[in-house]
Amino acid sequence: RSAFVEGVKEKIPVALAVTLLERGLALALLLAMAVAGAFWLAVEFTLDVKQATLALLLLANLAGVAVLVLFGALISRQRQWLLSVVRALLRPIGSGTAVTVVMHAAMIAAYYTVASAIGGNVSAVDLLAVAAVTMLAASLPISFAGWGVRELSAAYAFAHLGLPPEVGVTIGVLIGGAAINRRFGRRIL
């Protein structure tokens, strides 16, 4: 955030905007991962790669056509303003997304590592799905640093995989402890 605020006259509004953008990106990515994870856990299906690829290409084309139609409906001055806004936001959105992806990947790796060590014989995809759902629940601003919510959601999610709820609670506590250890620099685990 400080890199974007450096050299800007009104630091507080810019820092607030960049923080909101970062949090919004993080929430959007986590929500998408959690929905995909919940869908994976709730629905038994086989994935046809050809059909999935065609569906994604169709959606991308539809989105592109929608953008072109909306962009074409704008008058010249509106187009110039929109392009300047997009150019100004491209760098923070790109770097914010990259940082968010790395942070979520690190947390999912932590869940995967702890769960595969404790959880027994569970597929990697199932562990990733459970981690995404649990991470979303823990991110809800209803407790201090996700404590309680993370453990409860992990108990339910891991029980869905056939593991005892106690395993989910243990994984949640270990992940929470590791996060505190990282934040405060102490060795508590």
Side-chain angles (χ1 to χ4, degrees):
R1 290 178 213 143
S2 60
F4 295 116
V5 177
E6 188 177 322
V8 176
K9 287 182 183 180
E10 299 182 28
K11 292 182 190 297
I12 293 176
V14 172
L16 179 63
V18 170
T19 300
L20 289 174
L21 178 66
E22 173 196 355
R23 300 296 177 180
L25 287 169
L27 179 61
L29 180 62
L30 189 55
L31 187 60
M33 290 186 325
V35 167
F39 185 74
W40 177 265
L41 293 171
V43 178
E44 295 287 327
F45 68 96
T46 58
L47 179 65
D48 182 1
V49 176
K50 277 186 178 178
Q51 287 182 343
T53 303
L54 288 174
L56 285 175
L57 286 173
L58 177 64
L59 287 174
N61 283 322
L62 288 174
V65 168
V67 167
L68 289 175
V69 168
L70 291 174
F71 193 71
L74 299 175
I75 61 174
S76 176
R77 195 174 68 206
Q78 291 171 326
R79 266 187 250 143
Q80 289 173 351
W81 177 82
L82 184 59
L83 283 174
S84 70
V85 168
V86 168
R87 284 186 197 115
L89 291 178
L90 217 50
R91 181 174 168 232
I93 288 174
S95 59
T97 301
V99 168
T100 297
V101 167
V102 169
M103 289 171 43
H104 286 327
M107 185 57 75
I108 286 176
Y111 271 98
Y112 179 80
T113 302
V114 172
S116 61
I118 293 176
N121 193 13
V122 179
S123 79
V125 177
D126 286 344
L127 286 177
L128 297 176
V130 166
V133 171
T134 304
M135 286 169 53
L136 178 65
S139 72
L140 298 175
I142 56 177
S143 69
F144 177 73
W147 283 100
V149 180
R150 174 182 38 252
E151 291 72 26
L152 181 63
S153 62
Y156 280 110
F158 281 99
H160 182 77
L161 297 180
L163 299 172
E166 297 83 11
V167 169
V169 171
T170 302
I171 292 168
V173 168
L174 288 172
I175 294 295
I180 287 178
N181 187 29
R182 179 186 56 86
R183 285 190 182 109
F184 297 110
R186 297 184 202 145
R187 296 192 69 83
I188 59 172
L189 295 178

